[in-house]
Amino acid sequence: MNLVVIGAQWGDEGKGKVIDILSGKFHLVVRYQGGENAGHTVISSGRKVVLHTIPSGILKGIPSLIGNGVVIHPPTLIDEIASLESIGINVKDNLKISRSAHLVLPIHREAERISEEMRGGKKIGTTRKGIGPAYEDKYGRRGIRVGDLEREDVLKEKIEVLLEEKYRGFPVRKEELFEWLLKYREPVLSLVVDSVSYINSMVKEGKNILFEGAQGTLLDIDFGTYPYVTSSNSSAAGVSNGAGISPRFIDGILGIAKLYSTRVGAGPFPTELKGNVGKFIREKGGEFGATTGRPRRCGWLDLFALKYSVTLNGFTGVALMKLDVLDNLDEIKVAVAYRYRGKNMGSFIPDPYILEEVEPVYRTFKGWQTNTRGTRSFDELPQRAKDYIKFIKDYLETEIWLVSTGPSSEETIILKDI
Ligand code: GDP
Ligand code: IMO
Ligand code: MG
């Protein structure tokens, strides 16, 4: 079975945890978009690891591929490899990198810093990792790819085109960029594969492949709350072009959704809670960025937006995360519709100018006020928590594959044997 795991909201839904639970059943784990803007936390057997560019399957010793759709900042990747190796994880034998993946360069971070500063009050609130400018150069057909490191003459030529075309005003010399890239050449090239034949030979052999999404659907460049989005297709749409696999071979798509909402960075957030409840959720849920440490904005679960995500991605199943964070609340709200200019909206439209004006219509549930942390069986949940989950399932008209009741992989109610 080839399964895709997608963030269903604005990222940080708990994709890392779910990948860790599932990866043992797969022969290959693939990251296919984004870069080190991602921060995927895995807590297993008391050990906490945060992954940025490397697929989370690496922790279980599963072959892991960084696909062509990912953008790689070489020094960060090398540091991530070293830090995983230092805790006894065998990265070098299991990690592969597509030769078509693009590189994030120091000028990309600089370009992003300048563009964010120029936006004044309209900042995107990016992670400042240079992700957007790296994709701009990719689509501008002047990017530098992993495979270019193989040949010094090609690399020199590409650097020249890139700097001439786009970065004339920048204080960067081509010799300097060339030397910088050469430093990472050996370690990166030692992991390179032709990813299309690598993945597809596994497909042919009937091996199971797990695709690890980064960010979330509402941050998708096409389907998210543009321009407050990331620069890749973080919905299911990104898998084929970011990994080099035909859609024909994708067997299932699992959406990961938190039972409340969070967002890091700027952009519309209709169910945001700016007062004490939001603060409570942030503290109890540990909602601080795994990549930047920024406090995450918190709010009620937005089923109206989540239904859009279910529709767009065609989820085969959904994982509901962080139930335990809601344990102590007297009441729990979920948005079931939006009012816009006096009328109920027919469906979620991810446009900031509309979302800034909408008023969520809430359904209120009484809190269960019982500790659910670590519960592993649905039957053991308090009745009110069961009713709450049942309501969500019916609203979304989808299967619920698991409910997560704590940060560690063991703290999970598995409802579907995948
Ligand atoms: P990702 O980017 O989607 O992989 O998610 P992050 O790792 O950025 O953020 C999810 C955070 O929630 C991490 O700190 C996880 O350890 C934590 N987490 C995941 N599932 C649960 C859960 O069910 N309960 C609690 N309390 N924490 C969880
Ligand atoms: P994971 O994979 C949450 C957000 C940034 C910003 C916007 C654009 O851990 O869920 P970028 O640096 O990508 O150009 O920033 O996207 N963002 C994320 N938010 N989780 C992530 O990744 C994110 N990656 C980017 O905060 O709003
Ligand atoms: Mg994250």
Side-chain angles (χ1 to χ4, degrees):
M1 183 200 206
N2 297 325
L3 180 71
V4 185
V5 172
I6 301 274
Q9 295 150 320
W10 279 289
D12 304 326
E13 298 89 350
K15 298 177 290 294
K17 167 171 170 168
V18 175
I19 300 279
D20 187 61
I21 293 171
L22 298 176
S23 63
K25 300 182 176 175
F26 288 81
H27 300 101
L28 177 67
V29 181
V30 183
R31 271 283 306 272
Y32 56 88
Q33 45 74 227
E36 53 149 333
N37 46 354
H40 296 176
T41 314
V42 175
I43 301 175
S44 188
S45 313
R47 182 181 68 182
K48 174 174 167 174
V49 182
V50 181
L51 293 129
H52 296 287
T53 311
I54 299 178
S56 305
I58 205 79
L59 301 180
K60 290 244 165 80
I62 312 291
S64 296
L65 172 70
I66 299 176
N68 60 280
V70 175
V71 289
I72 301 169
H73 184 245
T76 309
L77 176 69
I78 305 301
D79 285 353
E80 194 172 347
I81 294 173
S83 98
L84 291 170
E85 295 263 352
S86 78
I87 54 168
I89 291 155
N90 181 354
V91 182
K92 297 213 167 102
D93 290 331
N94 291 319
L95 184 64
K96 300 278 179 274
I97 302 174
S98 167
R99 53 176 295 116
S100 311
H102 278 248
L103 298 177
V104 180
L105 309 172
I107 37 173
H108 292 137
R109 290 193 175 180
E110 181 59 10
E112 183 168 4
R113 186 186 65 75
I114 294 168
S115 91
E116 280 285 84
E117 266 156 34
M118 280 174 33
R119 281 174 164 266
K122 293 274 173 201
K123 284 186 184 31
I124 305 295
T126 69
T127 59
R128 304 250 176 153
K129 301 293 187 188
I131 306 294
Y135 280 113
E136 280 177 44
D137 283 340
K138 168 175 174 171
Y139 288 99
R141 296 164 295 187
R142 54 181 172 256
I144 295 178
R145 308 201 288 181
V146 166
D148 297 333
L149 295 171
E150 277 169 359
R151 281 193 36 193
E152 292 196 11
D153 53 341
V154 172
L155 192 57
K156 278 189 177 147
E157 206 178 288
K158 293 218 170 178
I159 289 174
E160 190 139 347
V161 171
L162 177 71
L163 297 188
E164 273 298 305
E165 189 187 332
K166 177 91 179 287
Y167 297 103
R168 280 207 195 172
F170 282 71
V172 53
R173 291 186 311 117
K174 48 187 188 223
E175 298 77 15
E176 203 185 337
L177 182 54
F178 180 69
E179 292 302 322
W180 185 85
L181 284 163
L182 284 192
K183 276 197 285 188
Y184 308 109
R185 182 164 125 159
E186 283 319 311
V188 171
L189 287 183
S190 67
L191 305 171
V192 161
V193 287
D194 168 16
S195 53
V196 172
S197 61
Y198 182 70
I199 283 200
N200 287 288
S201 63
M202 289 221 172
V203 171
K204 208 164 176 188
E205 287 166 27
K207 300 269 171 67
N208 300 326
I209 307 176
L210 184 59
F211 295 90
E212 174 173 353
Q215 291 81 51
T217 300
L218 300 174
L219 289 171
D220 184 285
I221 185 79
D222 285 281
F223 303 109
T225 54
Y226 189 90
Y228 299 99
V229 291
T230 192
S231 299
S232 62
N233 284 114
S234 46
S235 68
V239 182
S240 270
N241 70 339
I245 184 170
S246 162
R248 188 152 78 87
F249 301 126
I250 305 296
D251 303 300
I253 304 171
L254 173 59
I256 314 299
K258 264 195 283 220
L259 287 163
Y260 50 90
S261 306
T262 65
R263 168 158 214 170
V264 212
F269 187 176
T271 63
E272 183 166 14
L273 290 161
K274 292 189 170 149
N276 285 338
V277 180
K279 196 162 167 244
F280 171 85
I281 291 175
R282 182 174 314 112
E283 296 297 331
K284 178 133 194 239
E287 297 296 352
F288 297 89
T291 296
T292 58
R294 290 178 292 178
R296 295 174 181 153
R297 298 156 66 193
C298 296
W300 293 123
L301 176 63
D302 188 339
L303 281 181
F304 195 61
L306 190 52
K307 182 87 179 203
Y308 166 80
S309 184
V310 169
T311 306
L312 173 72
N313 291 299
F315 291 140
T316 326
V318 168
L320 297 176
M321 311 300 288
K322 305 191 93 160
L323 181 76
D324 55 298
V325 176
L326 305 178
D327 282 351
N328 306 91
L329 296 169
D330 315 332
E331 56 176 32
I332 298 162
K333 294 188 182 188
V334 295
V336 292
Y338 286 171
R339 299 282 294 167
Y340 177 60
R341 301 197 166 173
K343 289 196 191 118
N344 269 18
M345 260 173 87
S347 59
F348 179 86
I349 300 175
D351 255 310
Y353 73 91
I354 293 176
L355 295 178
E356 260 141 30
E357 274 189 46
V358 301
E359 256 182 66
V361 178
Y362 288 108
R363 158 113 188 195
T364 304
F365 292 82
K366 268 196 171 316
W368 42 90
Q369 308 216 332
T370 312
N371 181 23
T372 65
R373 171 88 186 250
T375 306
R376 301 181 58 153
S377 138
F378 192 80
D379 292 339
E380 284 167 23
L381 287 179
Q383 189 56 44
R384 284 182 185 162
K386 286 186 195 163
D387 294 344
Y388 173 71
I389 291 166
K390 169 87 170 48
F391 178 84
I392 293 167
K393 177 180 188 299
D394 292 345
Y395 183 100
L396 296 176
E397 299 176 288
T398 179
E399 285 183 24
I400 306 299
W401 283 10
L402 66 85
V403 178
S404 175
T405 57
S408 92
S409 298
E410 295 80 17
E411 296 170 304
T412 310
I413 300 170
I414 307 277
L415 297 170
K416 162 114 179 167
D417 185 21
I418 298 154

